[in-house]
Amino acid sequence: MAQVLKAEHSEGYERRWWILGVLCLSLLVIGLDNTILNVALPTLSKDLGATNSQLQWMVDAYVLVFAGLLLTTGSLSDRYGRRKALALGLVIFGVGSTLSAFSGTSSALIASRALMGVGGALIMPSTLSILTNVFPAHERGRAIGIWAGVSGLGIAIGPIVGGWLLAHFWWGSVFLVNVPVVIVALILGRLIVPDSKDPHPSALDPVGAVLSIVGLVSLVYAIIEAPSHGWTSSRTIVTFAFALIVLTAFSIWELRSDHPMLDVTFFENPRFTAANISIVLVFFALFGSLFFLTQYLQFVLGYTPLQAGLRVAPIALVLMVAAPLAGRLVERFGNKALVATGMTFVAIGLAFLGTITVSSGYPHVLIALVILGLGMGTAMVPATESIMGSLPLAKAGLGSAMNDTTRQIGGALGVAILGSVFASSFASHITTALSSLPPDQVAVASESVDKALRLGVETGGTTGAAIIAAANQSFISAMDRGLFVGAATALIGALVALVWLPNRAHTPPEEPLPEELGQAEVRVGAAEVAE
């Protein structure tokens, strides 16, 4: 039954837009770090002598810890205070960034990246939960739109900043750049961001916390490692089975507990569940497509890392514009219409990118990036607003953690699944194209487009040119196949939104509308009930 609370606006309401700026600055450091590292990987390989496996774990150590801790840190922020969680996260992230910058070995860098994951898991859900508590329901969509736009800004400027820093400084600068941002965010946060927490927290749920961490870490680890070991290998199947068993145990425990960390009955609300599925599929498409694009721009079109970063930026720049606009349009058109429309645009963008040929060039990519950015920005905001608006304000930290967890799982799935489709297709195409070469050369060329191109350069002459041409064509064919799989997935997301996602929250007759509340009363998120 809907509960209506007539009260003064929450603390910080008068300075809510300044608070949003601080939250966005805190969010920016995470988005910046996620993409800036990708540009530095070749340099790290050379300067630290890192193997391919170590390079992968420099990225994945952060992702594993970040995704595994999100539900726990979101729950703890609700209990002990969201501003405290944000400040602690910024401190840990800053320390981890400093240690990463001065790491002398690959193992030390992997460990410090894991520490940064702890900080990120405290920062990200805190920003969205504070936003949800500071902004009244009728302004929340616009605020989330700006929040989502800033997450796109981090994606855009990360490769550009990283490329510039590597051109002028040592590789540690890509981590050290986080420190001044953290310091500014800490100072401003202490001055203007109000603290908020669950006024009636339940008892701690350590069993639920442990089960969620073990289950989520196992799931993300299985997704990350599946392409390397094979999706049907015994190792992959056992890891997925273990993750499923632990997450099932977590769900059973939470259902039976009288003080659950995550009330799994939230998933009975179609507004909450369908929105989470949409977020998974949006980030599946985003990370999966970027996985192909960065390689295509560098290996096939021959751009440097900085040049490739500049040419990927339009997807995030368009997202930055589309997300705040979607925050305004959701008030007029509702969640269902915008999420379904956005996911349809994502499908169109991926399908168009999947028609690329060796001779297409960057203009074809640019058109696809604009369509993708428009679709992702349009879908992300109403889906996020649906998740946050379907939960009580007291559980905003947990709701934000769910939103962030689905982002991470969706992104990991996008890279893993589309990457696997790509790898198998590439190996098949190039093996057929180079069947006249010695088996050992074919085996090397089929491992990756990078090795195939190097083999072509080393071979030289007519044969070398043929190897390079085969590598480029095989890459394009494999990328196109992966992108069409991504497009089909995005269409499924549009159907999920059309079928299950309510168009907008229902405001009960006894609850006054925001205009009637004036400047003195606000509606609590718990009063929003899915149609």
Side-chain angles (χ1 to χ4, degrees), residues 83-96:
R83 188 181 69 184
K84 294 183 181 70
L86 177 61
L88 178 61
L90 287 168
V91 170
I92 294 174
F93 198 88
V95 171

Side-chain angles (χ1 to χ4, degrees), residues 112-344:
S112 59
R113 286 284 296 164
L115 181 63
M116 292 173 69
V118 177
L122 283 160
I123 294 170
M124 196 160 187
S126 299
T127 61
L128 187 54
S129 58
I130 292 172
L131 179 158
T132 303
N133 274 268
V134 170
F135 283 86
H138 63 286
E139 290 183 336
R140 200 171 296 144
R142 276 175 281 173
I144 289 175
I146 296 172
W147 179 88
V150 170
S151 68
L153 177 63
I155 296 171
I157 68 175
I160 300 170
V161 172
W164 185 85
L165 288 172
L166 289 171
H168 295 84
F169 305 99
W170 98 112
W171 60 263
S173 61
V174 303
F175 299 108
L176 209 58
V177 72
N178 297 328
V179 177
V181 181
V182 164
I183 292 173
V184 172
L186 273 170
I187 294 172
L188 293 177
R190 184 66 183 87
L191 292 174
I192 69 172
V193 176
D195 205 0
S196 63
K197 58 184 178 181
D198 187 344
H200 305 291
S202 57
L204 290 173
D205 181 18
V207 174
V210 170
L211 288 173
S212 73
I213 292 170
V214 173
L216 288 172
V217 167
S218 301
L219 176 62
V220 176
Y221 177 81
I223 293 170
I224 290 171
E225 291 293 300
S228 300
H229 301 287
W231 288 90
T232 58
S233 69
S234 57
R235 178 171 177 171
T236 300
I237 293 172
V238 168
T239 309
F240 270 116
F242 177 75
L244 180 61
I245 291 170
V246 175
L247 290 174
T248 300
F250 168 72
S251 300
I252 295 172
W253 174 266
E254 298 299 275
L255 280 171
R256 295 182 177 181
S257 174
D258 57 0
H259 53 276
M261 183 180 76
L262 171 64
D263 187 349
V264 294
T265 60
F266 287 152
F267 288 97
E268 296 175 358
N269 184 344
R271 189 174 180 221
F272 181 79
T273 302
N276 272 296
I277 293 173
S278 297
I279 290 289
V280 168
L281 297 179
V282 166
F283 278 83
F284 180 100
L286 174 61
F287 281 80
S289 59
L290 289 178
F291 173 77
F292 296 128
L293 277 177
T294 52
Q295 295 183 73
Y296 170 74
L297 292 172
Q298 293 182 61
F299 291 137
V300 178
L301 297 187
Y303 293 120
T304 65
L306 177 57
Q307 291 171 332
L310 287 169
R311 283 162 177 79
V312 170
I315 188 174
L317 296 176
V318 174
L319 191 153
M320 287 170 54
V321 175
L325 181 61
R328 292 181 175 273
L329 293 178
V330 72
E331 299 170 13
R332 177 180 299 179
F333 298 107
N335 296 312
K336 179 196 293 284
L338 284 183
V339 173
T341 299
M343 295 300 291
T344 301

Side-chain angles (χ1 to χ4, degrees), residues 27 30-31 34 63 66-67 70 124-125 127-128 144-152 155 220 275-287 319 323 376 379-381 383-385 387 399-415:
L27 177 67
I30 298 178
N34 283 342
V63 174
F66 182 83
L70 277 169
M124 196 160 187
T127 61
L128 187 54
I144 289 175
I146 296 172
W147 179 88
V150 170
S151 68
I155 296 171
V220 176
N276 272 296
I277 293 173
S278 297
I279 290 289
V280 168
L281 297 179
V282 166
F283 278 83
F284 180 100
L286 174 61
F287 281 80
L319 191 153
M376 290 171 184
M380 280 171 54
V381 175
T384 300
E385 193 278 333
I387 293 171
S400 177
M402 275 300 307
N403 175 74
D404 300 334
T405 301
T406 52
R407 284 176 174 229
Q408 293 301 310
I409 292 174
L413 280 170
V415 173

